[in-house]
Amino acid sequence: MSASRILNTTLGQADFHPHLSQQRRLYEAVRAAILTQQLAAGNKLPSTRAIASDLGIARNTVIAAFKQLAAEGYVSSALGSGTYISASLPENPLSTLAVSEPPIANQPSTSCGDAANLSARGSKSTAYAAGARFEIQPFAPGDPDFSIFPLKLWQRIQNRVWRDARPELLDYGLAGGYLPLRSAIAEYLRASRSVNVSVEQVMITSGTQQSLDLCAHMLTDAGDTAWVEDPCYWAARRVFESRDLLLHPVAVDAKGIAPNERDLATAPRLIYVTPSHQYPTGAVMTLARRRKLLDIAAAKRAWILEDDYDSEFRYTGRPLASLQGLDPYGRVVYMGTFSKILYPGIKVGYLVVPPALVRPFKTALYDLQRPGQMTVQAALADFIALGHFATHIRKIRQAYGAKRELLCKTLVAQMGDGIAISGEESGLHLVVELPSHVDDVAVARLAAESGIEVMALSTYYAAQPARRGLLVGYAYVAPGKIAYYGKLLTNVIRSAVRK
Amino acid sequence: MSASRILNTTLGQADFHPHLSQQRRLYEAVRAAILTQQLAAGNKLPSTRAIASDLGIARNTVIAAFKQLAAEGYVSSALGSGTYISASLPENPLSTLAVSEPPIANQPSTSCGDAANLSARGSKSTAYAAGARFEIQPFAPGDPDFSIFPLKLWQRIQNRVWRDARPELLDYGLAGGYLPLRSAIAEYLRASRSVNVSVEQVMITSGTQQSLDLCAHMLTDAGDTAWVEDPCYWAARRVFESRDLLLHPVAVDAKGIAPNERDLATAPRLIYVTPSHQYPTGAVMTLARRRKLLDIAAAKRAWILEDDYDSEFRYTGRPLASLQGLDPYGRVVYMGTFSKILYPGIKVGYLVVPPALVRPFKTALYDLQRPGQMTVQAALADFIALGHFATHIRKIRQAYGAKRELLCKTLVAQMGDGIAISGEESGLHLVVELPSHVDDVAVARLAAESGIEVMALSTYYAAQPARRGLLVGYAYVAPGKIAYYGKLLTNVIRSAVRK
């Protein structure tokens, strides 16, 4: 049977992942065909053009699905010579998989937890299943355009590190990370973010998740209360929940987090905020609010965790200094990441901790996470020292700025006064606000059917009446395609609003 | 002031890290001199020979300290041209570090936690401070000899991955890891460890700590009981404690873990074992004990976590199949790592989970740890596929086997019948047993003063009367030095036993 025929049969089954997007369904269909050996190892797949035409789906959707399959090693593609099923697959990959995997997405988490005998907190951690939902498609919020990343240059720098005869770099990292990198980060944060920092306060982690987890563990106990913004970055919520924290959502308005009397009656141990560019609304916390929040933290002996995840991307106006730089009490832990600037999989993030936390955090970082990848840290230190980091930030800021402008123009041209855009001054995404009667989840689903990945604003809310809107990422989409997808998106929005 | 003079002054202070070894004190002295700018950025340090003679300490100790400083980026050394203070340090690295770091090691953990306002569980995680204690010196247990690692070959393979024009590899890993690597691991484990595994059950993690943490989180709730071996690998204990588990130590004898009636009266949710080579005693769990443990887990609906951390290194006899391969109930999660075979900082480990756990674990792995470093995974997959992995295992097994034999011979030649060695059939370390009246912690401290890093067996015990002994690692020491250090060690032991 031809590959297209096999895939068509699978995709024709009504119960084959009915809630996933077309791209994801295609990915799952190819994957299933490989794992069940309907598509045999070493064989060539038809071209993306042929599959698109055979299955009647957009070629971009096929390309995106193939990219994901290649990234995970199911297929490999040499430039210009087509796509092949990986030759290194085992002879009978599913031979011992007697029980089929229980599905997760779109099921109450308890049923899944019961079947697998997971713990209560374990079940909770599977309820969202981001990996099964997100995919890199036009407008996926948060995805940087890592195709701009200077691969060849990076490879040269890495080679120098490896050639430099330093097997010491192959060991674990003991002391909070590679010093020249910590030092470069300290300098950068002092200069560009007004962070009050000495090199010793900088800890290199293996990314945002690891930074969040270390802070949640070291600064809170099970059952403690953490204030999170409402709406809030879902992945932070997941990590805090996994550390058995009680999450208390505090409403965010246009000036940032706005604790009211009821909020103040709680006793938070941790306050998680994104002051530079609130995730997901894009609100910038005002100076007055920042000062007030610092006073609250001091009064309640709470720690503030400032996530400055995308502060590098500011297109208009002057950025406000970091919250950490204003802190007279030593209650702020500052965190950042290189994933948004360089490439997601680099897995290098950092924390700036108050001096009193330096030793305990160093110890816990080593004992609980055991960092490594010192060669990557060394290459990154060189990348910064040689000026490539500053150049790259300028380059992507310019690229994203242009895309942002183009997207705004397209949306306004299409919708006129009918559209309100917010959070567009910085970051990698903006918010298209929708009237409160519109079901933004349904709109996002409709958009997904057109091959556009936008997120419904309401899904980020926990308690306060959810605002309706769409998070639209503009970083990971080719400039030439923005107008096209922008029009597609406004069509979807218009048809939804009209109903 | 000359560098030696500065260091001599620091080291002469009685309160300068009095409990650390000479190597660690030297490391701390150089580090402090750099951070306070007594040793200025860009300057050349005296040769290790000169420093050794100026300070009256062994040259090997100086070399080891310098290696650590280089690994962390405080100094850099080009082959043949000496050692320089890193030029990329900030102008005034300690300018804003007003409060000095509170010391951790050798203090009750509460005092440190109070000063920094850590959480209770956070304080607990700083109590051991492995990073401040361990150092790579002759006989340090668990350290592989990563100088044997074929650096140039690895670099070539990595280059091929980067050159291959695959920016997809720069993204996060969504689906449990890079498929050809998962597939290679599945094949390897089936063939060499009799693990019952399909490729879908293999999840790539970023190392042992991350594997332990994911299992503890997904399979237990705060307050649940986990059985751990007594004695036990300390780092596993740390991770379980950080997930708020109650640790119930179960005695280990020469046949492995031996639960008694009192143990059976508890209800473990998780049972953590090292059946192939118990850590640290080296005992191999018998087949009868394995079967019994599986029955217990099934009856109690507990999960078994089988840590097969160094099963690749077996020098005599045939290895027993994995516990996982015997499991008729699907209650075993199997884990392994590449850190001991390739190099510690690679940070690639893996889990083999029962089919029912595949989906939930994939989700939690992505949502809580957000794996990346797909380029490393791709290079590793190629390294295995091209046969280099098998070659390398053979090579290091031979090298370690020869070292092990030499060490045993030296110890027996020196001590005669006065020495009992155990756990030497496999792994990277053996245990020299000591009479019960000997303080093995004091012996280890004495050994450290001679530049030898051995661990006291008693420190791994939690409940049952601790056996006394020394863990002696033989992987990370030059073959030509084993006899020398072996004699040094027996001298230390003899003088301690005689007292």
Side-chain angles (χ1 to χ4, degrees):
Chain A
M1 201 160 29
S2 83
S4 293
R5 196 99 167 258
I6 292 167
L7 299 176
N8 219 347
T9 308
T10 309
L11 293 169
Q13 294 163 6
D15 60 344
F16 186 77
H17 298 293
H19 300 290
L20 296 182
S21 70
Q22 226 170 17
Q23 178 192 322
R24 190 77 193 182
R25 291 185 81 230
L26 178 58
Y27 159 93
E28 293 287 353
V30 177
R31 191 168 148 270
I34 292 173
L35 290 174
T36 55
Q37 294 183 296
Q38 290 182 77
L39 295 177
N43 278 10
K44 190 173 175 179
L45 281 170
S47 70
T48 51
R49 196 179 302 274
I51 290 188
S53 118
D54 289 351
L55 303 181
I57 50 186
R59 188 164 163 231
N60 274 331
T61 305
V62 181
I63 291 175
F66 274 38
K67 273 198 173 170
Q68 195 57 48
L69 288 160
E72 289 162 14
Y74 289 91
V75 303
S76 61
S77 45
L79 272 178
S81 76
T83 304
Y84 293 81
I85 310 293
S86 285
S88 57
L89 295 177
E91 268 182 40
N92 195 356
L94 285 179
S95 58
T96 59
L97 193 63
V99 188
S100 71
E101 301 175 18
I104 277 193
N106 307 307
Q107 283 217 351
S109 60
T110 44
S111 72
C112 152
D114 284 356
N117 192 13
L118 296 178
S119 62
R121 63 183 176 194
S123 294
K124 216 167 164 185
S125 292
T126 65
Y128 195 75
R133 291 169 200 215
F134 282 141
E135 36 198 80
I136 296 183
Q137 268 181 304
F139 296 156
D143 279 319
D145 182 1
F146 46 90
S147 70
I148 310 180
F149 183 65
L151 270 180
K152 297 236 174 299
L153 172 66
W154 180 241
Q155 200 184 327
R156 268 207 307 281
I157 292 176
Q158 282 194 303
N159 270 327
R160 212 176 303 144
V161 168
W162 281 92
R163 248 197 325 262
D164 218 11
R166 297 177 55 184
E168 307 95 86
L169 287 176
L170 300 187
D171 203 357
Y172 297 122
L174 269 180
Y178 188 67
L179 189 79
L181 179 58
R182 294 164 68 205
S183 161
I185 291 170
E187 246 171 303
Y188 168 72
L189 294 178
R190 267 197 298 268
S192 73
R193 303 294 303 130
S194 306
V195 174
N196 188 13
V197 54
S198 81
V199 62
E200 285 287 284
Q201 290 170 267
V202 180
M203 316 261 145
I204 311 291
T205 69
S206 41
T208 293
Q209 269 64 24
Q210 285 71 19
S211 294
L212 290 167
D213 190 56
L214 189 63
C215 291
H217 172 60
M218 293 300 287
L219 304 176
T220 69
D221 283 309
D224 279 352
T225 295
W227 280 8
V228 291
E229 296 170 318
D230 194 21
C232 176
Y233 175 44
W234 63 268
R237 275 211 301 240
R238 286 294 93 66
V239 172
F240 297 150
E241 280 169 1
S242 87
R243 288 288 176 188
D244 296 302
L245 296 185
L246 300 176
L247 300 192
H248 178 86
V250 177
V252 163
D253 61 23
K255 296 175 182 175
I257 194 168
N260 61 25
E261 286 308 312
R262 253 195 42 235
D263 301 322
L264 290 170
T266 67
R269 271 287 286 181
L270 190 72
I271 301 173
Y272 172 72
V273 284
T274 49
S276 307
H277 188 238
Q278 202 275 329
Y279 197 89
T281 66
V284 179
M285 198 187 294
T286 60
L287 193 60
R289 284 275 176 85
R290 285 171 196 239
R291 293 228 164 93
K292 197 179 151 197
L293 191 66
L294 291 166
D295 291 341
I296 292 173
K300 294 187 171 285
R301 285 179 65 77
W303 293 101
I304 295 178
L305 184 48
E306 175 180 20
D307 188 352
D308 215 17
Y309 65 103
D310 68 359
S311 61
E312 291 80 10
F313 309 113
R314 183 152 199 98
Y315 312 109
T316 57
R318 277 198 66 221
L320 275 173
S322 67
L323 186 62
Q324 194 269 8
L326 298 171
D327 174 22
Y329 313 110
R331 308 298 306 174
V332 177
V333 175
Y334 176 96
M335 57 180 275
T337 172
F338 287 98
S339 286
K340 302 269 180 222
I341 311 175
L342 303 184
Y343 58 95
I346 191 170
K347 293 302 293 172
V348 179
Y350 49 87
L351 288 169
V352 175
V353 303
L357 295 183
V358 168
R359 284 267 166 143
F361 267 62
K362 258 190 201 173
T363 299
L365 181 65
Y366 182 78
D367 282 4
L368 299 178
Q369 300 190 354
R370 194 63 51 88
Q373 298 287 2
M374 297 295 273
T375 52
V376 177
Q377 293 189 26
L380 187 46
D382 287 350
F383 188 79
I384 298 174
L386 295 169
H388 302 307
F389 184 67
T391 308
H392 186 60
I393 288 187
R394 271 199 303 277
K395 193 167 139 195
I396 52 179
R397 194 186 281 142
Q398 209 165 30
Y400 295 167
K403 289 182 185 184
R404 175 194 76 115
E405 217 175 300
L406 196 55
L407 176 60
C408 287
K409 262 191 198 149
T410 308
L411 295 178
V412 170
Q414 292 290 310
M415 303 281 290
D417 288 345
I419 198 161
I421 296 172
S422 60
E424 81 284 14
E425 299 86 1
S426 66
L428 305 174
H429 75 270
L430 51 77
V431 176
V432 174
E433 308 201 22
L434 295 175
S436 57
H437 69 274
V438 174
D439 178 356
D440 54 2
V441 176
V443 179
R445 202 180 303 128
L446 267 177
E449 284 169 19
S450 314
I452 298 175
E453 176 83 8
V454 292
M455 298 294 295
L457 179 58
S458 65
T459 60
Y460 291 84
Y461 283 83
Q464 74 164 325
R467 278 164 58 201
R468 306 301 169 98
L470 300 175
L471 273 68
V472 186
Y474 41 81
Y476 191 83
V477 55
K481 295 290 175 84
I482 287 188
Y484 169 75
Y485 285 116
K487 279 178 202 165
L488 219 57
L489 179 62
T490 51
N491 287 344
V492 170
I493 294 174
R494 243 198 304 258
S495 76
V497 172
R498 232 184 268 127
K499 267 177 204 164
Chain B
M1 199 155 40
S2 82
S4 292
R5 199 103 162 257
I6 294 168
L7 299 176
N8 219 348
T9 308
T10 309
L11 293 170
Q13 295 163 5
D15 61 344
F16 186 77
H17 298 293
H19 300 290
L20 295 182
S21 71
Q22 228 171 16
Q23 177 192 324
R24 190 76 194 184
R25 290 185 82 230
L26 179 59
Y27 160 92
E28 293 287 353
V30 176
R31 194 168 147 270
I34 292 172
L35 291 174
T36 55
Q37 292 185 295
Q38 291 182 77
L39 295 176
N43 279 9
K44 189 174 176 179
L45 281 169
S47 71
T48 51
R49 195 179 302 274
I51 289 189
S53 119
D54 290 350
L55 303 182
I57 50 185
R59 184 158 168 238
N60 273 331
T61 306
V62 181
I63 292 175
F66 274 37
K67 271 198 173 170
Q68 195 56 49
L69 288 160
E72 289 162 13
Y74 289 91
V75 302
S76 62
S77 46
L79 271 179
S81 74
T83 305
Y84 293 82
I85 310 294
S86 285
S88 57
L89 295 177
E91 269 179 40
N92 193 356
L94 285 179
S95 58
T96 59
L97 193 64
V99 189
S100 71
E101 300 176 16
I104 278 192
N106 306 306
Q107 283 217 352
S109 61
T110 46
S111 72
C112 151
D114 284 356
N117 192 13
L118 296 178
S119 62
R121 63 183 175 193
S123 294
K124 215 167 165 183
S125 291
T126 65
Y128 194 76
R133 290 167 201 216
F134 282 141
E135 34 200 80
I136 296 182
Q137 269 182 303
F139 296 156
D143 280 318
D145 182 1
F146 45 89
S147 69
I148 311 180
F149 183 66
L151 271 180
K152 298 235 173 297
L153 172 65
W154 181 242
Q155 201 184 327
R156 268 207 306 281
I157 292 175
Q158 281 194 304
N159 270 329
R160 210 177 303 143
V161 168
W162 281 93
R163 247 197 326 261
D164 218 12
R166 296 174 60 183
E168 307 94 85
L169 287 176
L170 300 186
D171 203 357
Y172 299 121
L174 268 180
Y178 189 67
L179 188 79
L181 178 58
R182 294 163 69 203
S183 159
I185 291 170
E187 243 170 304
Y188 168 71
L189 293 178
R190 267 197 298 267
S192 74
R193 303 293 305 129
S194 305
V195 173
N196 189 12
V197 54
S198 81
V199 62
E200 285 288 284
Q201 291 170 267
V202 180
M203 315 261 145
I204 311 290
T205 70
S206 41
T208 294
Q209 268 64 24
Q210 286 70 18
S211 294
L212 290 168
D213 190 55
L214 189 63
C215 291
H217 172 61
M218 293 301 286
L219 304 176
T220 69
D221 283 308
D224 279 352
T225 296
W227 281 6
V228 291
E229 295 171 317
D230 194 20
C232 176
Y233 175 45
W234 65 269
R237 275 210 300 241
R238 285 294 94 67
V239 172
F240 297 151
E241 280 169 1
S242 87
R243 287 288 175 188
D244 297 302
L245 296 186
L246 300 175
L247 300 192
H248 178 86
V250 177
V252 163
D253 63 23
K255 295 175 181 175
I257 195 168
N260 61 26
E261 286 308 312
R262 253 194 45 234
D263 300 322
L264 289 170
T266 68
R269 271 287 286 181
L270 191 71
I271 301 173
Y272 172 72
V273 284
T274 49
S276 307
H277 187 237
Q278 202 275 330
Y279 197 88
T281 65
V284 179
M285 198 186 296
T286 60
L287 193 60
R289 284 275 176 86
R290 286 171 195 239
R291 293 229 164 91
K292 196 177 152 198
L293 192 65
L294 290 165
D295 290 341
I296 292 172
K300 295 187 171 283
R301 284 179 65 76
W303 294 101
I304 294 178
L305 184 48
E306 176 179 21
D307 188 353
D308 216 15
Y309 65 103
D310 68 359
S311 61
E312 292 79 9
F313 310 113
R314 183 153 199 98
Y315 312 109
T316 56
R318 277 197 68 221
L320 275 174
S322 66
L323 186 63
Q324 195 269 8
L326 297 171
D327 173 23
Y329 312 110
R331 308 298 305 174
V332 176
V333 175
Y334 175 96
M335 57 180 276
T337 173
F338 287 97
S339 286
K340 302 269 179 220
I341 311 175
L342 303 184
Y343 59 96
I346 192 171
K347 294 301 292 171
V348 179
Y350 49 86
L351 288 169
V352 176
V353 303
L357 296 183
V358 167
R359 284 269 165 139
F361 267 61
K362 259 190 202 173
T363 299
L365 181 65
Y366 183 78
D367 282 3
L368 300 178
Q369 301 190 354
R370 194 62 51 89
Q373 299 287 2
M374 297 295 273
T375 53
V376 177
Q377 293 188 28
L380 186 47
D382 287 351
F383 188 80
I384 298 174
L386 296 169
H388 302 306
F389 183 67
T391 309
H392 186 60
I393 288 188
R394 270 199 304 276
K395 194 167 135 193
I396 52 178
R397 193 187 282 141
Q398 208 164 33
Y400 296 167
K403 289 181 186 185
R404 175 195 77 113
E405 218 176 301
L406 195 55
L407 176 62
C408 287
K409 263 192 196 146
T410 307
L411 295 177
V412 170
Q414 292 289 310
M415 303 281 289
D417 286 347
I419 197 161
I421 295 171
S422 60
E424 80 286 12
E425 300 86 1
S426 66
L428 304 174
H429 75 270
L430 51 78
V431 175
V432 174
E433 307 202 23
L434 295 176
S436 57
H437 70 275
V438 175
D439 178 357
D440 54 0
V441 176
V443 179
R445 204 181 300 128
L446 268 176
E449 285 169 19
S450 315
I452 297 174
E453 176 83 7
V454 292
M455 299 294 294
L457 180 58
S458 65
T459 60
Y460 291 84
Y461 282 83
Q464 73 164 326
R467 277 165 59 202
R468 306 300 168 99
L470 300 174
L471 274 69
V472 185
Y474 41 80
Y476 191 83
V477 56
K481 295 289 174 85
I482 287 188
Y484 169 76
Y485 285 116
K487 279 178 203 164
L488 219 57
L489 180 62
T490 51
N491 287 344
V492 170
I493 295 174
R494 242 199 304 260
S495 75
V497 171
R498 234 185 265 126
K499 269 177 200 165

